[in-house]
């Protein structure tokens, strides 16, 4: 059975040999499968040589094919520069379509091999880097191998706006009040505890929190629950380290550089991290699984949403 790449190469070679490949732009040239394979190869490769290697043809063949296609379309697809061939907006759009076709071919192949229906497509998921590290990765490891035709694009961000701007399909967010225009599921409560490494605790008297080296979120997270707690209960403390993410704060704590109020799901005793007391009462939040209303019509998004709802687990202390 031919792989998607082999299908592209075959269609490309057939188009090169076809006598009617070269058409005038005025005849309303229709993009074919081979054209998509050509554009995708050059976008991925960036140079004629790498594109030729991907298509398993010679460089002159790729050069002539690009010239023919641009002439047929009446538009430029690439700009030549010292760095190679830079795609225009049209070429980028065609390459995205080509990748979807490639994914569809792969899904069809897998469906034939497995003898059943296959969930395919690309789902864009966003979360914070701490949620990715402490919560999402263990969940993905449990079920993603069951969906070989499903592509997941991950981005880490603290902003709800990327879901609102349609830059993502699903979000895992720590909040008590998710935006009303999103739909979702509350996965559980997240508490925070002051933590330190075992080595740091041996070197310092951790009973006096004001005398310790504090690691805290910077101005990038001004409304974080741990910031509000510290300002309320330790107003005289000035952090020695400021981080733009809770994952960075966790890594500094693991390195023995100080103490920080961290979410329970980042408390890793296997790495020598220990809580210095109970959770910060009144400063907990919630983990929400969110999506846009229009995404509920997409089977790939619904499938991933349901799987995350079943497999994401928050630790209990």
């Amino acid at each position: 059975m031919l792989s998607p790449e082999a299908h592209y190469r075959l269609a490309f070679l057939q188009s090169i040999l076809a006598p009617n490949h070269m058409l005038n732009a005025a005849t309303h040239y229709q993009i074919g499968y081979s054209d998509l394979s050509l554009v995708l190869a050059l976008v991925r490769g960036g140079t004629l040589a790498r594109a030729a290697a991907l298509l398993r043809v010679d460089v002159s063949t790729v050069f002539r094919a690009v010239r023919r296609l641009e002439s047929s379309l009446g538009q430029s697809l690439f700009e030549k520069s010292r760095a190679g061939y830079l795609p225009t907006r049209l070429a980028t759009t065609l390459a995205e379509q080509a990748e979807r076709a490639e994914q569809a071919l792969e899904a069809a192949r897998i469906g034939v091999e497995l003898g059943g229906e296959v969930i395919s497509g690309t789902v864009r998921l966003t979360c914070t880097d701490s949620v990715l590290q402490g919560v999402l990765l263990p969940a993905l490891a449990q079920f993603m191998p069951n969906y070989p035709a499903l592509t997941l694009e991950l981005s880490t961000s603290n902003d709800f706006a990327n879901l609102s701007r349609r830059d993502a399909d699903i979000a895992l967010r720590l909040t008590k009040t998710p935006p009303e225009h999103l739909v979702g599921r509350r996965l559980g409560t997240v508490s925070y505890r002051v933590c330190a490494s075992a080595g740091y605790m041996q070197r310092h008297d951790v009973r006096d929190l004001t005398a310790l080296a504090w690691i805290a979120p910077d101005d990038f997270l001004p409304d974080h629950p741990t910031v509000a707690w510290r300002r309320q209960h330790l107003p005289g403390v000035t952090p020695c380290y400021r981080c733009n993410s809770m994952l960075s704060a966790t890594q500094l704590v693991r390195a023995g550089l100080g103490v920080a109020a961290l979410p329970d799901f980042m408390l890793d005793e296997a790495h020598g991290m220990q809580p210095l007391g109970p959770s910060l009462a009144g400063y907990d939040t919630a983990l929400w699984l969110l999506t846009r209303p229009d995404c509920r019509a997409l089977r790939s998004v619904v499938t991933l949403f349901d799987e995350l709802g079943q497999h994401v687990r928050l630790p209990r202390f």
Side-chain angles (χ1 to χ4, degrees):
M1 182 177 294
L2 292 177
S3 67
E5 291 80 5
H7 279 289
Y8 273 124
R9 290 194 297 271
L10 179 60
F12 176 73
L13 289 171
Q14 289 174 338
S15 69
I16 294 297
L17 298 174
N20 60 345
H21 179 77
M22 180 63 181
L23 299 176
N24 187 279
T27 64
H28 302 292
Y29 180 76
Q30 294 185 355
I31 291 289
Y33 199 58
S34 60
D35 300 321
L36 292 179
S37 70
L38 170 66
V39 174
L40 181 59
L42 194 48
V43 168
R44 284 176 171 172
T47 67
L48 292 175
R50 286 196 286 266
L54 290 172
L55 293 168
R56 297 185 184 179
V57 297
D58 57 70
V59 172
S60 61
T61 300
V62 175
F63 177 77
R64 291 194 303 270
V66 172
R67 294 290 298 272
R68 290 191 191 105
L69 181 57
E70 290 182 329
S71 177
S72 299
L73 296 175
Q75 299 184 58
S76 296
L77 293 171
F78 296 91
E79 296 177 2
K80 187 69 171 66
S81 72
R82 292 182 179 179
Y85 277 70
L86 302 178
T88 63
R89 181 174 296 182
L90 175 59
T92 301
T93 300
L94 292 177
E96 292 172 353
Q97 297 293 336
E99 286 185 329
R100 293 191 183 99
E102 189 177 67
Q103 292 169 0
L105 270 177
E106 181 66 9
R109 182 186 66 79
I110 294 173
V112 171
E113 290 180 355
L114 298 180
E117 197 171 7
V118 174
I119 302 296
S120 64
T122 299
V123 180
R124 299 163 299 172
L125 190 153
T126 180
C127 63
T128 64
D129 53 5
S130 60
V131 169
L132 173 65
Q133 182 73 26
V135 177
L136 180 58
L137 292 182
L140 293 178
Q142 295 182 59
F143 67 83
M144 279 302 290
N146 298 328
Y147 300 97
L150 186 62
T151 300
L152 184 61
E153 293 183 356
L154 288 169
S155 66
T156 53
S157 168
N158 293 293
D159 190 8
F160 275 113
N162 50 14
L163 204 62
S164 302
R165 293 194 306 265
R166 299 175 182 270
D167 293 338
D169 306 309
I170 296 176
L172 279 167
R173 286 288 181 251
L174 294 171
T175 180
K176 283 188 174 181
T177 55
E180 293 183 359
H181 66 278
L182 301 178
V183 295
R185 185 183 306 173
R186 189 181 187 278
L187 299 182
T189 299
V190 175
S191 299
Y192 297 87
R193 300 167 190 262
V194 179
C195 305
S197 69
Y200 188 87
M201 293 177 67
Q202 292 174 0
R203 300 190 306 269
H204 298 83
D205 181 2
V206 295
R207 291 173 295 180
D208 182 7
L209 296 180
T210 61
L212 303 178
W214 275 85
I215 303 163
D218 61 13
D219 292 339
F220 190 70
L221 299 169
D223 301 320
H224 198 274
T226 62
V227 174
W229 174 84
R230 193 186 74 250
R231 289 172 176 170
Q232 176 69 28
H233 295 274
L234 303 172
V237 167
T238 299
C240 297
Y241 304 91
R242 295 184 184 274
C243 305
N244 66 354
S245 75
M246 295 305 293
L247 178 59
S248 299
T250 302
Q251 292 171 334
L252 266 65
V253 171
R254 287 177 181 170
L257 295 174
V259 302
L262 301 173
D264 280 345
F265 59 78
M266 296 302 291
L267 178 55
D268 188 355
E269 295 185 359
H271 286 81
M273 292 175 59
Q274 300 179 17
L276 304 187
S279 61
L280 309 182
Y283 291 90
D284 57 5
T285 187
L287 180 63
W288 281 85
L289 177 63
L290 301 165
T291 188
R292 304 192 312 272
D294 60 289
C295 286
R296 290 181 294 181
L298 302 175
R299 191 170 178 212
S300 56
V301 175
V302 171
T303 298
L304 182 61
F305 189 94
D306 290 341
E307 290 284 11
L308 289 171
Q310 295 178 31
H311 290 92
V312 168
R313 294 291 181 267
L314 293 171
R316 294 183 179 180
F317 288 88

